[in-house]
Amino acid sequence: MNIENYGFIPSMPQDNNTGIPARITACHKNKFEFVCDNGEGLAHLKTSEYFMSDEIYPTTGDFVLIDYRTDGESVILKTLPRKTCFKRLDPSSSGRGAQAVAANFDYVFIMQSLNQNFNPNRLERYLTLAWESDATPVVILTKADVADDLQSKMNEAKQVCLGADIIAISSKTGYGLTKLEKYLTAGKTIVFLGSSGVGKSSLVNALAGKEIMNVSEIRAADGIGRHTTTHRQLIMLDSGVMIIDTPGMRELGMWDAADGLEHSFADIEQYFGKCRFRDCQHQSEPGCAVKQAIVNGELSQARWNSYLQLKKRILLFIGQRRFYSSKTAKKYPHTKGY
């Protein structure tokens, strides 16, 4: 087994030379599955490094240095710097800490199904966080074979997903799958994000050309499925493409996603700085470029309202993070470095 096939670059900074490089492929509370040149294994964290210092708690996709052992669990010594990272509010921290969902990926496949699950506002939130991760977001609209009005929903997605490719697919019929090929390059890592039942497992199976993941049934009443994936895991396909699948998440905490907001709402932020007054609040001030754009039909009121709601949510979470930062570090040590 060659760790470079899993995306490891030998030039990655390695201050601690006592360990060998490995990649985390799954997380189970305080146990971690990994791959390295010596093969696969199970590891735990070195207590003095992760619970008594500022070492970054690893997540699926992270590259780490390990003390490899053949006669038992290996020991994770250090988390190497991340090139990308996807974060959400940690459900176990009562909304006061961040949780890294995945790391070191190249693309974020934001998945929604073209049934009752389709929700443009949720797409906006997912896209904002995807841009914040520093990876390239791709919007995947699944179950095109059951869509009532495919083109109408594609148009809705285009209105809120500026700057991202939008691809409609059907894992069942194969529709649209060829459009994904430019992202399916050996050595690249893709993270799948979406609610339960959107078809993440079905897409993994379709790309693999065989059934490697269980597929859950969908409730006909609301289109919601069960959590097929119970933990975050990295899957290596025969093609050399790696996929990080995540448990379904209907809502994501907007953990410090201000930069992602600029990307997702570039159509709105282009008007900022064009107002008559430098400190314009875009409410009732004369000469407001945003309000004029709405009057002229260049910008919809609904789009502006979505921006305001999302920005308010981000500012709220940023305020919570700052207020609870010291308490969170003590009570939730696994959030350190996030």
Side-chain angles (χ1 to χ4, degrees):
M1 186 171 293
N2 188 339
I3 187 63
E4 293 184 31
N5 292 336
Y6 281 82
F8 179 75
I9 301 173
S11 61
M12 287 182 176
Q14 300 176 47
D15 297 331
N16 186 336
N17 294 319
T18 61
I20 65 171
R23 191 169 195 188
I24 302 299
T25 57
C27 301
H28 309 273
K29 294 185 178 179
N30 292 324
K31 303 293 183 182
F32 302 84
E33 295 179 39
F34 68 86
V35 293
C36 66
D37 287 341
N38 294 329
E40 302 176 345
L42 192 66
H44 61 269
L45 302 175
K46 185 176 181 179
T47 302
S48 61
E49 295 295 331
Y50 284 92
F51 297 99
M52 301 174 65
S53 67
D54 295 327
E55 192 58 57
I56 297 175
Y57 197 90
T59 190
T60 303
D62 266 324
F63 291 102
V64 296
L65 294 179
I66 65 171
D67 176 9
Y68 182 78
R69 300 177 182 178
T70 59
D71 56 350
E73 289 185 7
S74 298
V75 182
I76 301 174
L77 307 173
K78 181 179 179 61
T79 305
L80 298 180
R82 297 164 172 162
K83 67 176 182 179
T84 55
C85 183
F86 189 89
K87 304 174 186 176
R88 68 167 181 172
L89 285 182
D90 186 351
S92 68
S93 69
S94 301
R96 300 173 183 177
Q99 178 189 61
V101 177
N104 297 312
F105 45 88
D106 301 281
Y107 304 110
V108 180
F109 278 14
I110 301 170
M111 301 177 64
Q112 277 199 10
S113 59
L114 291 162
N115 55 13
Q116 300 97 313
N117 177 263
F118 184 74
N119 186 321
N121 289 334
R122 189 184 300 131
L123 278 178
E124 288 178 331
R125 296 196 294 272
Y126 274 66
L127 188 64
T128 298
L129 289 173
W131 283 121
E132 184 69 21
S133 74
D134 288 331
T136 301
V138 184
V139 177
I140 310 295
L141 302 180
T142 64
K143 306 182 183 181
D145 55 300
V146 299
D148 294 332
D149 190 345
L150 175 58
Q151 192 55 54
S152 175
K153 289 181 178 178
M154 286 285 289
N155 291 337
E156 285 188 68
K158 289 177 181 178
Q159 292 177 10
V160 300
C161 298
L162 303 179
D165 277 356
I166 304 172
I167 303 173
I169 68 165
S170 170
S171 298
K172 182 177 180 180
T173 67
Y175 175 83
L177 294 183
T178 57
K179 296 181 180 180
L180 301 179
E181 291 178 353
K182 63 180 179 179
Y183 302 107
L184 306 176
T185 304
K188 297 294 185 181
T189 301
I190 303 168
V191 62
F192 283 9
L193 293 175
S195 304
S196 300
V198 298
K200 297 192 296 293
S201 298
S202 295
L203 181 54
V204 171
N205 292 339
L207 296 179
K210 55 186 176 183
E211 187 170 343
I212 61 177
M213 298 194 69
N214 294 327
V215 178
S216 65
E217 296 180 356
I218 306 300
R219 293 201 301 255
D222 53 17
I224 295 176
R226 297 190 303 271
H227 295 280
T228 303
T229 305
T230 57
H231 60 276
R232 299 183 297 278
Q233 58 184 318
L234 183 147
I235 303 164
M236 170 72 83
L237 303 183
D238 292 341
S239 62
V241 175
M242 288 160 285
I243 294 173
I244 298 178
D245 191 20
T246 62
M249 294 178 291
R250 293 191 182 92
E251 294 298 329
L252 296 174
M254 306 303 297
W255 188 261
D256 197 7
D259 290 341
L261 190 70
E262 294 180 8
H263 282 88
S264 295
F265 291 87
D267 58 324
I268 289 179
E269 299 212 353
Q270 66 174 317
Y271 296 106
F272 297 167
K274 297 180 180 180
C275 300
R276 181 185 303 176
F277 301 106
R278 184 175 299 178
D279 60 348
C280 182
Q281 299 299 305
H282 317 299
Q283 296 178 356
S284 58
E285 298 90 341
C288 174
V290 173
K291 292 299 182 181
Q292 190 60 48
I294 294 174
V295 171
N296 295 341
E298 301 170 7
L299 180 66
S300 72
Q301 184 67 51
R303 178 72 168 163
W304 174 242
N305 290 342
S306 293
Y307 174 86
L308 292 177
Q309 291 173 5
L310 197 53
K311 185 174 182 179
K312 181 179 180 180
R313 194 170 182 176
I314 290 172
L315 292 175
L316 173 63
F317 288 134
I318 290 176
Q320 287 179 335
R321 184 194 64 178
R322 290 173 178 170
F323 182 78
Y324 290 111
S325 59
S326 59
K327 294 182 179 179
T328 299
K330 294 178 181 178
K331 188 173 182 180
Y332 308 103
H334 58 285
T335 66
K336 291 186 299 183
Y338 288 175

